[in-house]
Each structure stands twice: as structure tokens, then as C-alpha cells.
Amino acid sequence: MNKDDHVINAVILGIGVGYLLAPTLGEPTLHAIVLVGIPIVIGALFPDIDTEFGTHRETFHNFVTLAVFLAFPIYFGNLFFVWMGVLTHFVLDLLGTKGGLALFYPATRHVSVPVGVTVDSRKARVVTLAVTGLELGVVWTLVHYGFGNLLRAPGVWDLFTTVF
């Protein structure tokens, strides 16, 4: 996908996840949207740094990058939800390119899916919105069925537990 699609996905996802974690439509919701949304947007844009440093869709489009952002909050207590942006970037790129991603980099064999669309396809925006809806459905399911603690993060978790 192109940069606009990554930003659209991240902004909608950040707003949606923030609302799902604090659905009061008041100050706690706005606070949750900011706490969750900004890191998601940062994570959604991060992998494309490899357009400047390294090889695009290889250097930072891989499981090592995702693992770093999954582990970082565990060890350092910050950068929560950046992993969600990185993950959604990968999903959109898998569905928004025919060339695939080097998910197992430095092994450069690219992984692709047979249903991907090209970046300049008129269907790219539809795919972006469908993926975003699916992601929000996963988060809603986690929260609705009592697994919201999997999204635990300082500040956000406090809002979530005071609302429920």
C-alpha cells in the first residue's frame, strides 16, 4: 500500500481501539485515542524507513522488526501499541503488493499472498478499509469477550478498568 493508505488505516485503527478501550465518549475516550492512536500511527509509518536506509520491503518489513516492537514495552515500559501499527503495515503491504515482503529477512525470499492488489489499484483503498474493519473486529472481540487485558498498557489500562 502507499503512505496514504497506511496513514488512513492507522488513524482509523487508533480512534477505534481508543474508543473500544474507553467507550464513554468523554474525556477518557479522547485520552485513550491519543494514548493508543499516536503510537499506532508511528508504528504504521516506521517500516517504510527502509526506503531511505536499506532495501524497501526487506530491511524493516520483517518479523525481527515486529519482535523488537513487541518486546520493547516489556523491557522498557514504553512504546506500547507501536507493534500494532507495524503489524498492520505488514498486513496492508502483503495485501497491497504483488512482490511481497521479506518477512524472514535477512533471508530475502519474499512472502506474498495470491489475493494482493497493486499499490496503484483502485481497489487498494477498499482493501485498506476492509483490513481496518477486520482489525477493529478483532480488538472488539478481545475486549467484548474479556481478553482486553491483552492490550494492557499504562494509562490505557487504567482507563479501561475504570470504565468497566
Side-chain angles (χ1 to χ4, degrees):
M1 292 294 166
N2 63 33
K3 179 179 64 175
D4 291 345
D5 288 309
H6 288 299
V7 171
I8 288 168
N9 169 264
V11 168
I12 294 171
L13 187 62
I15 292 168
V17 171
Y19 172 78
L20 289 170
L21 293 176
T24 63
L25 289 180
E27 189 175 327
T29 304
L30 182 60
H31 192 69
I33 288 170
V34 171
L35 280 171
V36 171
I38 291 172
I40 289 175
V41 170
I42 291 169
L45 297 177
F46 180 84
D48 280 340
I49 289 175
D50 65 12
T51 59
E52 299 296 324
F53 305 101
T55 305
H56 188 224
R57 295 207 174 107
E58 289 183 5
T59 308
F60 293 114
H61 286 73
N62 56 63
F63 289 130
V64 173
T65 300
L66 181 59
V68 166
F69 284 108
L70 277 167
F72 203 93
I74 295 168
Y75 291 103
F76 298 105
N78 60 11
L79 296 184
F80 293 94
F81 294 100
V82 174
W83 67 268
M84 194 178 286
V86 171
L87 180 61
T88 193
H89 185 108
F90 294 172
V91 171
L92 286 176
D93 274 0
L94 279 172
L95 296 173
T97 181
K98 296 286 187 181
L101 307 176
L103 291 174
F104 300 100
Y105 184 83
T108 57
R109 183 175 178 271
H110 284 215
V111 176
S112 61
V113 295
V115 294
V117 298
T118 59
V119 173
D120 57 354
S121 168
R122 291 187 299 184
K123 296 177 185 176
R125 186 64 42 89
V126 173
V127 170
T128 297
L129 295 174
V131 167
T132 306
L134 181 65
E135 292 164 343
L136 287 171
V138 168
V139 173
W140 177 86
T141 302
L142 290 171
V143 171
H144 185 73
Y145 289 102
F147 296 100
N149 62 344
L150 295 174
L151 302 172
R152 182 176 296 183
V156 174
W157 186 249
D158 297 337
L159 283 169
F160 181 73
T161 54
T162 58
V163 171
F164 296 101

